[in-house]
Amino acid sequence: MISNEPRARALAQRVHHRVTMQATTLDQVITHLQNVTDLAEREASRIGYFAALYTRVTLAVTARIRAGFFDDGPQIERLDIAFANLYLDAVDRQLRGDDGVRTAWRMAFDAAADPDASVLQHIYLGMNAHLLFDLPIAVAMTCPTHKLSSLRTDFLRMNEVVDAEMGAFHEDLCKISRPLARFHQSMGALWIASSSATMRISRRFAWARAARLAGREEREQALLIDGFDQAAERIGAELIRPRAGIRSLFRAVRAGENEDVREVIRMLRPRQR
């Protein structure tokens, strides 16, 4: 049987062949994410909303890796670096005007210029592209098929890390929008529970897609990746133009939001640790 490891390496090379912000360590990932957030803050770009959240989560994951939280810390570190590089690649391409930005990410970046979209929509668009498109690719890039079963426990354990960070993030979101703060007072437990459930479901979808992707021939991988992008695009379209009930919620949140994009980014950035 032919080893899957060369195919995983080949996938990584194809994905990263043009990236200029590629990291090789978690510290470099954090630096790059902070740089993206800094740039967004200087330019008052709503791209910084998701970048701020992603920096927070990456700091939390890094701390857990170094504390021995995961069974296979080095494997999770490789996965986290590859995962971050896919986001950094998308940002880098967008900044350079590269037409190779995938549709799921292009929708998120284009929405940053829409003053009517709420902070929740910007963050959910980033999460949609990163979890449903990038994550399965990152798993397949760093973990050959015969090692997937051993990675699964740590992959699911990541939910605990994200849940812990999202609690504080929800609190900071409430400082940005008065209607969101009122909603949190009355329905906060439901909001947090539904956010956690959505995150876990998204990660399970990503895992299933990674299992389909790992070890396939190049042509099959390309077709699957195109399909992942199309699926994320459909969800992104729902986030940009939601149905009536969700649209009313997003509009209410947006109506009471802080209008200062730079200040919002500063409020969403990681707290001092």
Side-chain angles (χ1 to χ4, degrees):
M1 178 178 180
I2 298 174
S3 169
N4 291 315
E5 293 191 27
R7 292 176 183 170
R9 288 196 298 270
L11 176 59
Q13 290 166 358
R14 293 199 303 277
V15 168
H16 290 310
H17 73 291
R18 293 181 65 184
V19 66
T20 60
M21 273 199 293
Q22 187 172 4
T24 57
T25 68
L26 284 172
D27 287 334
Q28 289 177 359
V29 167
I30 293 165
T31 297
H32 286 319
L33 292 175
Q34 289 172 334
N35 289 342
V36 171
T37 312
D38 288 343
L39 177 63
E41 185 177 328
R42 287 196 301 272
E43 298 189 357
S45 169
R46 295 174 183 85
I47 288 176
Y49 297 169
F50 178 75
L53 169 61
Y54 194 17
T55 306
R56 295 169 73 137
V57 172
T58 303
L59 284 165
V61 171
T62 300
R64 293 294 188 99
I65 290 173
R66 291 173 178 172
F69 177 74
F70 298 101
D71 291 339
D72 189 347
Q75 176 60 40
I76 290 297
E77 182 167 354
R78 288 190 293 273
L79 171 58
D80 209 47
I81 292 168
F83 188 33
N85 276 333
L86 291 170
Y87 167 70
L88 293 169
D89 182 31
V91 172
D92 182 58
R93 290 173 185 268
Q94 177 71 13
L95 294 176
R96 290 188 288 110
D98 189 324
D99 59 6
V101 178
R102 283 288 187 162
T103 304
W105 275 119
R106 189 173 66 249
M107 294 177 76
F109 295 144
D110 288 350
D114 181 1
D116 295 326
S118 71
V119 63
L120 289 180
Q121 286 170 284
H122 292 298
I123 290 168
Y124 292 160
L125 282 164
M127 292 170 63
N128 170 59
H130 203 37
L131 291 176
L132 295 183
F133 179 70
D134 289 344
L135 185 53
I137 298 173
V139 172
M141 283 167 51
T142 58
C143 188
T145 306
H146 67 279
K147 293 183 179 179
L148 278 176
S149 59
S150 62
L151 175 64
R152 184 176 174 80
T153 299
D154 276 343
F155 182 88
L156 296 177
R157 191 172 288 159
M158 186 75 73
N159 293 330
E160 299 176 37
V161 183
V162 176
D163 281 350
E165 194 58 36
M166 288 301 291
F169 192 71
H170 278 94
E171 293 176 7
D172 289 339
L173 282 171
C174 291
K175 299 173 185 175
I176 292 164
S177 171
R178 292 186 299 276
L180 198 55
R182 290 193 293 270
F183 177 77
H184 190 265
Q185 287 178 345
S186 60
M187 303 288 286
L190 177 61
W191 180 26
I192 292 172
S194 62
S195 294
S196 176
T198 300
M199 182 76 68
R200 290 167 185 264
I201 290 169
S202 297
R203 288 179 60 81
R204 287 184 181 275
F205 269 114
W207 180 264
R209 289 174 175 177
R212 292 170 57 200
L213 190 60
R216 297 293 187 96
E217 297 290 347
E218 181 176 337
R219 181 176 178 278
E220 293 177 294
Q221 287 181 333
L223 290 172
L224 285 169
I225 289 171
D226 286 345
F228 300 162
D229 193 23
Q230 291 163 10
E233 178 186 5
R234 288 192 292 271
I235 296 173
E238 287 286 335
L239 289 167
I240 293 170
R241 295 177 293 277
R243 298 174 188 180
I246 301 298
R247 183 169 63 247
S248 297
L249 172 62
F250 284 157
R251 284 179 176 175
V253 170
R254 179 68 189 93
E257 273 182 26
N258 186 327
E259 293 291 339
D260 188 332
V261 174
R262 293 185 178 91
E263 186 176 352
V264 170
I265 293 172
R266 286 193 292 271
M267 294 171 73
L268 294 178
R269 297 190 78 148
R271 299 176 179 181
Q272 293 296 321
R273 294 179 181 269

